[in-house]
Amino acid sequence: MHAPPRGLVYAIYYAALAAIAVPVNLVAIVILSRGKCGLSRCITQYLVSMAVTDLLVIITAVMLNRLPGIYFPGSFMSITPVCSLSITVINASKDSSVWLTVTFTFDRFVAICCQKLKTKYCTQKTVAWVIGTVCALSCLKNIPWYFLHEPIYIINNVPWYCTLKETRYTSPIWVAFDCTDRILTPCLPFFLILLLNALTVRHIVVGSSIRRRLRVNSNAENQNDPEMEIRRKSIVLLFAISGAFILLWMTYAVQFLYEQFTNDYIIKGFNDPKFILIESANMLQLLSCCTNTFIYAVTQSKFREQLKNMVKHLVENMSKLIKWKRNFQ
């Protein structure tokens, strides 16, 4: 994160990621905020907040960190205090994005499996409180990262670039902090998402078999079941988001486990397999910040409809603007 890679592949990848991720997240925020996608207000609040945090990750981690480091080395963003602040904000944004995925998964678990708790927990007020708490705790948790770096060079009394202090590897406090940080993101979220999804699937399977038997007994087996259709759409959306998160963060988890077992943190250069593993993990987890919008487009018909209307409206306005310019000339 604090050592932007060199090479054509990285330069193209991060530029393309920024060019795609920023507009798709903005589109998702606009469409979902209008509340016309047939989703409950609670789900909409979570999806909008996830799109906002994903956008923040792209802005801070790619546009203000990776791209300046690749295309403009030695810029203002490379000054040590700015670099340290950038790393802190990046980690806070990533944690918010990850844990909002967990809280969204828990919200769907409660809505489907805990009918008594649903009326109290699945409310707009509770969702707003949960989102605010997750973002605030993510910011507080990552404040220590600002103090964990030191400059590589000092030129004319100006500190440049960021490198981890030696105490990161020798101090029990900092080692414990780093280990806890990796466990909280993404190891614990992995476990919670898999557990909650497994419990949700089990509840749905049991509930579906019961409802099917009841409908057979009432001779209504050939009729549509609106409740099961709503659950099916909710589960498809939930599993698509959860599955994409786990797949794209898996390399990061593998990297963490590799470091814990080998205790090898030395990187010899950009061609070092350890550096390639670390950078691959960064690339995949940043890619996860633009996948949700595509998931909505694939799984939600009303989202696709709103997207088509937005594109149509944009094309019409562009055509009117072009015609007006021609007439004006």
Side-chain angles (χ1 to χ4, degrees), residues 98 179 181-191 194 245-262 277-278 280-285:
V98 169
C179 186
D181 179 71
R182 299 292 188 95
I183 290 173
L184 290 177
T185 308
C187 297
L188 183 58
F190 272 19
F191 171 77
L194 290 173
F245 166 75
I246 291 174
L247 287 175
L248 293 175
W249 277 80
M250 185 63 70
T251 307
Y252 185 83
V254 171
Q255 173 212 334
F256 166 67
L257 295 175
Y258 171 81
E259 291 179 348
Q260 295 306 305
F261 282 113
T262 62
L277 175 63
I278 292 172
S280 298
N282 285 331
M283 293 167 74
L284 288 173
Q285 63 172 279

Side-chain angles (χ1 to χ4, degrees), residues 249-312:
W249 277 80
M250 185 63 70
T251 307
Y252 185 83
V254 171
Q255 173 212 334
F256 166 67
L257 295 175
Y258 171 81
E259 291 179 348
Q260 295 306 305
F261 282 113
T262 62
N263 200 29
D264 182 7
Y265 301 97
I266 299 175
I267 298 176
K268 299 178 181 178
F270 293 128
N271 294 323
D272 190 322
K274 288 192 293 294
F275 177 83
I276 295 175
L277 175 63
I278 292 172
E279 195 56 35
S280 298
N282 285 331
M283 293 167 74
L284 288 173
Q285 63 172 279
L286 290 172
L287 179 62
S288 69
C289 294
C290 68
T291 56
N292 283 352
T293 302
F294 296 104
I295 290 173
Y296 307 151
V298 171
T299 62
Q300 303 296 309
S301 59
K302 291 188 177 180
F303 184 91
R304 292 195 299 273
E305 181 181 344
Q306 292 296 314
L307 180 60
K308 290 178 182 178
N309 291 336
M310 177 181 287
V311 173
K312 181 180 178 181

Side-chain angles (χ1 to χ4, degrees), residues 1-6 65-66 69 83 87 162 267 270 275 279 282:
M1 180 187 315
H2 43 280
R6 301 288 186 270
N65 183 276
R66 277 295 189 262
C83 177
I87 292 169
C162 289
I267 298 176
F270 293 128
F275 177 83
E279 195 56 35
N282 285 331

Side-chain angles (χ1 to χ4, degrees), residues 26-47:
L26 287 174
V27 166
I29 293 170
V30 172
I31 292 178
L32 292 169
S33 298
R34 298 175 66 184
K36 297 181 179 180
C37 295
L39 301 170
S40 70
R41 293 183 178 180
C42 290
I43 294 179
T44 300
Q45 281 181 279
Y46 274 117
L47 298 185

Side-chain angles (χ1 to χ4, degrees), residues 44-213:
T44 300
Q45 281 181 279
Y46 274 117
L47 298 185
V48 170
S49 65
M50 290 161 66
V52 170
T53 53
D54 285 345
L55 179 61
L56 288 176
V57 172
I58 294 298
I59 292 174
T60 56
V62 179
M63 299 179 67
L64 298 180
N65 183 276
R66 277 295 189 262
L67 292 181
I70 295 173
Y71 289 97
F72 311 104
S75 66
F76 171 77
M77 297 302 298
S78 299
I79 298 176
T80 303
V82 179
C83 177
S84 298
L85 179 61
S86 173
I87 292 169
T88 304
V89 175
I90 290 169
N91 283 325
S93 301
K94 285 183 178 180
D95 282 2
S96 298
S97 177
V98 169
W99 280 97
L100 284 174
T101 303
V102 176
T103 53
F104 169 67
T105 306
F106 180 74
D107 179 88
R108 293 300 85 204
F109 166 75
V110 171
I112 294 172
C113 305
C114 309
Q115 295 302 311
K116 292 183 179 180
L117 182 60
K118 175 182 177 180
T119 55
K120 295 182 179 180
Y121 182 81
C122 299
T123 63
Q124 287 183 271
K125 183 177 180 180
T126 301
V127 171
W129 181 85
V130 170
I131 292 172
T133 302
V134 167
C135 293
L137 290 178
S138 296
C139 293
L140 291 174
K141 166 185 168 292
N142 287 285
I143 289 177
W145 280 111
Y146 183 81
F147 304 98
L148 197 54
H149 295 86
E150 61 184 3
I152 298 178
Y153 309 109
I154 297 180
I155 303 174
N156 296 327
N157 294 323
V158 178
W160 288 93
Y161 300 104
C162 289
T163 185
L164 288 169
K165 294 179 179 178
E166 187 66 26
T167 54
R168 151 67 179 83
Y169 307 102
T170 59
S171 171
I173 295 177
W174 286 117
V175 171
F177 167 75
D178 182 62
C179 186
T180 303
D181 179 71
R182 299 292 188 95
I183 290 173
L184 290 177
T185 308
C187 297
L188 183 58
F190 272 19
F191 171 77
L192 292 176
I193 288 174
L194 290 173
L195 175 63
L196 291 170
N197 283 344
L199 293 174
T200 303
V201 169
R202 178 179 177 276
H203 179 85
I204 290 176
V205 170
V206 173
S208 298
S209 62
I210 294 174
R211 291 177 68 88
R212 194 177 299 111
R213 287 197 297 269

